[in-house]
Each structure stands twice: as structure tokens, then as C-alpha cells.
Amino acid sequence: YVTNAFETLSAQNVSALRWLFGKGSYFSFQNPTVSKGYDTLETDPFDILFMYGIYGFSIYVAILLITVRMNFSRPYILLGLVLLIVHSIVAGHVIFNGMSVTLLAAFMALGRVSLNNYAQAK
């Protein structure tokens, strides 16, 4: 799917703006003149890259890295977070699924609480 998406996109001779900001969730990697409708690649990083461009992909990576950093001192939470991130990369449907993204938000909240507790303990 991903190779086909890159071939479809490269055949369109897209502009730098599309690489920076994407074409939105409906068009993603498709050619807007012959779009088949909504289509996903089943992997969050590439879906985000094509839908929201390099800018959106950078935000996605930053959120994941910040969340890992916040939970780095809590190994059991970090394990769950890493499994969620691997699922996002390999199978997708984490960012675009309400239940999975809620779990990601919970990991972010737990990391924030642990940082506050750590700062208060010092």
C-alpha cells in the first residue's frame, strides 16, 4: 500500500506545499481529479504524512517522543506506550481510532502527573 501511495503521489508532480501541509484526510495521497474516495494506508505515520504533510508528521513524532520522555522513568507505563507506538507504526488505527488515541492521551496524562510528583518530591 505504501509503495503504491508513493507511486501515485510521484505521478502527480505535487508541489512543495502539498509535501509540507498535505492534502487533507479525504484525498491523502490520491489524485484529486480521479479520487476513488476516502482511503487509508493502515499505518499512522504514512497516513499522517500524506494527509497532513511533513508539518503534521513532525507534530506526530514530537508528541510520541515527548510522551516517551515523560514516562521514561516508569517502565510498566513505558512498555504499554511503546507497544501502542509500535502498533501505530505497523498496523495503524491508533491516531484515527477514538479508543486508541484515548489510551495515548492517558499515557500523556500519567507522564505529566509523574513529572509533577517528581518535581514536588525534590
Side-chain angles (χ1 to χ4, degrees):
Y1 290 131
V2 174
T3 305
N4 183 15
F6 274 106
E7 290 171 358
T8 302
L9 198 64
S10 67
Q12 298 173 43
N13 295 325
V14 298
S15 69
L17 282 177
R18 184 161 177 190
W19 279 111
L20 284 175
F21 300 108
K23 191 71 173 178
S25 61
Y26 184 78
F27 290 116
S28 184
F29 60 90
Q30 299 179 55
N31 187 340
T33 60
V34 292
S35 176
K36 300 180 275 191
Y38 183 76
D39 193 12
T40 62
L41 296 174
E42 309 297 330
T43 171
D44 287 342
F46 290 107
D47 274 336
I48 291 171
L49 176 66
F50 293 131
M51 291 177 185
Y52 306 113
I54 294 170
Y55 182 71
F57 180 76
S58 300
I59 292 172
Y60 165 76
V61 170
I63 288 171
L64 294 181
L65 290 176
I66 289 168
T67 307
V68 166
R69 185 170 180 245
M70 286 191 305
N71 288 296
F72 201 74
S73 63
R74 303 177 82 186
Y76 294 114
I77 293 176
L78 184 63
L79 175 63
L81 178 60
V82 168
L83 290 173
L84 187 68
I85 291 170
V86 169
H87 185 271
S88 174
I89 293 169
V90 175
H93 300 296
V94 170
I95 301 299
F96 301 104
N97 180 323
M99 292 182 71
S100 300
V101 82
T102 301
L103 184 57
L104 181 61
F107 283 130
M108 293 174 75
L110 285 170
R112 184 68 180 154
V113 167
S114 70
L115 283 178
N116 285 345
N117 290 342
Y118 180 74
Q120 289 175 356
K122 282 188 161 189

